[in-house]
Amino acid sequence: MVFPLFCVVGLLVLLMNEVGLCNGGTTSGFVRPLEKTVDMPLHSDVFLAPPGYNAPQQVHITQGDHVGKGVIVSWVTMDEPGSSTVLYWSENSSYKNKAKGNFVTYKFYNYTSGYIHHCTIKKLKFNTKYYYEVGIEHTTRTFWFTTPPEVGPDVPYTFGLIGDLGQTYDSNKTLTHYELNPATGKTVLFVGDLSYADNYPNHDNVRWDTWGRFVERSVAYQPWIWTAGNHEIDFAPEIGETKPFKPYTHRYRVPYKASDSTAPFWYSIKRASAYIIVLSSYSAYGKYTPQNQWFEAELPKVNRSETPWLIVLMHSPWYNSYDYHYMEGETMRVMYEPWFVQYKVDVVFAGHVHAYERSERVSNVAYNIVNGICIPVRNQSAPVYITIGDGGNIEGLATSMTEPQPNYSAFREASFGHAIFDIKNRTHAYYGWHRNHDGYAVEADSLWFFNRYWHPVDDSTTTQG
Ligand SMILES: [Fe+2]
């Protein structure tokens, strides 16, 4: 009897794992006490509506153009539409500029939304603090943001990473830890699953409103870059709601047209020295689909001399060694992984699995159905894959892991937390993951990133677990 070569290789790998010759990375020894993860009640202070007639609430901002000179300001009024105009002025000027927006409403089963305003401010100066005022004509509220520096290869910039946040006591801890982290993230890359309203009967959209009020304390002051997760789909034919992403798309706007995308679920932005591509795990991505066509045309546009750091955000991870959502990202991996390797993506952030995991630089692109080469291998052109779906939502932690820890997995831990991706220059970025059980500055996992374009070979990364 002849064993196919891949069976022999597979057996060898298994054997090496058994005797400890293959280092499958580290499974953290930190075991979080298992507590029930529950949503904060409706009367919680973090959900309080601001006082005053028709006061703007759920204020949030995101990037409004391709390079960071635009900001989309969104908010909700409850009593009447009121004005969709934003007044804004730079720190050193008292002259108030005006930008006009508009508002939308939507119904979801027996819920009717407030008046959801969206206003894009354009042609701002780079690296400038602006104040902005909303609620003109009734109760006004004033916030501020700082625009990013002009796009360039050595521009330092600090991103926060949050995913699968929800609105539990643990979610509140995650957000607080992010806010008080001395690394001071300037923009959040949010990897999907926002409110978890769909866990309530009839997807009670009141929980979209409470989530909007909860996160306002951060997202009104710094942009959050949105990725759509499965909890944004809100597909509920049993109550007649058959249009996917209805609450999400009415409430959260992204600058997708600025990157020639035809839908808000996949798009790109430049920010400082980073080129960020957002993909949709829940939109068609196969050959000939709009997302595929856009993504294929998008990658050659990335000029690594201008934006050395190529970051991809998606919801469903490709390299996941938890039992939860295992291999759900596989079909997209098969479609897109060769491009990620070809274009040397630096890092991929995903959520979905409610835990933390960081991969080695691996790829799995050699398999062609008949050759049996289907085990991920180290590849210096491949990204690091990071699962950061540990925001702390109502569904609780993913604690069950595949054993033994696969070789592609460098570090994993079932805890809630957030991360910081701190770009220093064109060659170096420092990454740290922070669990909620530690002090604000403590890193439970960290890694120096050497840029794949400017530093393609040396992989002398330092890690701690
Ligand atoms: Fe998810």
Side-chain angles (χ1 to χ4, degrees), residues 101 109 140 346 379:
Y109 188 56
T140 63
D346 290 288
N379 184 336

Side-chain angles (χ1 to χ4, degrees), residues 164 193 196 229-231 282 315 325 351-354:
D164 303 67
D193 284 0
Y196 287 76
N230 54 304
H231 288 278
Y282 306 102
H315 186 63
H325 307 305
H352 203 35
V353 178
H354 302 157

Side-chain angles (χ1 to χ4, degrees), residues 203-220:
H203 297 220
D204 187 359
N205 274 221
V206 166
R207 283 289 176 170
W208 272 105
D209 290 317
T210 53
W211 194 82
R213 296 198 288 269
F214 159 50
V215 296
E216 181 192 270
R217 69 187 200 228
S218 172
V219 70

